[in-house]
Amino acid sequence: MKLRLAIYAELLRATARLATTATTSAASHPNDAGQIGGDEFDSLLGQARVVASEDVYRRLNELSQLTEMFNQHLEEAEPRPVFPHRQHLHDGAVNGPLRLQHRKTLTDIAGGIAVAHGRVQDAIRHEMNR
């Protein structure tokens, strides 16, 4: 039980950080945004697989899928390098319709990540109160 509580505490810190970072990255300029999740989160998911209840683990998987989706859309929203002689064709591309759509999608996914964090929190709270 102590191990489960310790892992759950780490998971809650990591998922809260993930939700905050996703929201910040979605609102950032494409050059300033960075991918979320990473090795630390993957390691915590592996530990949770061993000790978490089925409901908590299912909620964590939902969050993990949203994180992957966010990172995929983040790559699509990033500006591509442009040859200097073609720069005039790409001026303003950061605010072009396609980029704006990607940023909106990132914002929507970031909102989903925040909701998923809340669901993980609720699942852990429900399990601990049984």
Side-chain angles (χ1 to χ4, degrees), residues 5-18:
L5 283 173
I7 290 173
Y8 281 173
E10 280 299 311
L11 276 169
L12 288 175
R13 276 191 287 276
T15 58
R17 195 169 41 247
L18 212 96

Side-chain angles (χ1 to χ4, degrees), residues 1-8 127-128 130:
M1 187 60 142
K2 282 185 179 182
L3 177 62
R4 183 179 285 185
L5 283 173
I7 290 173
Y8 281 173
E127 180 181 334
M128 293 294 113
R130 284 195 253 173

Side-chain angles (χ1 to χ4, degrees), residues 62-82:
E62 291 171 5
L63 181 61
S64 178
Q65 290 172 356
L66 286 168
T67 300
E68 287 177 31
M69 190 183 314
F70 183 89
N71 288 334
Q72 289 171 351
H73 280 281
L74 186 63
E75 285 181 24
E76 293 173 13
E78 288 178 353
R80 303 287 184 250
V82 177

Side-chain angles (χ1 to χ4, degrees), residues 101-112:
Q101 181 59 41
H102 283 302
R103 303 312 291 175
K104 181 185 178 321
T105 300
L106 283 173
T107 303
D108 292 344
I109 296 170

Side-chain angles (χ1 to χ4, degrees), residues 98-123:
L98 186 58
R99 289 270 158 65
L100 290 175
Q101 181 59 41
H102 283 302
R103 303 312 291 175
K104 181 185 178 321
T105 300
L106 283 173
T107 303
D108 292 344
I109 296 170
I113 288 172
V115 168
H117 162 67
R119 289 180 179 157
V120 169
Q121 211 171 17
D122 290 345

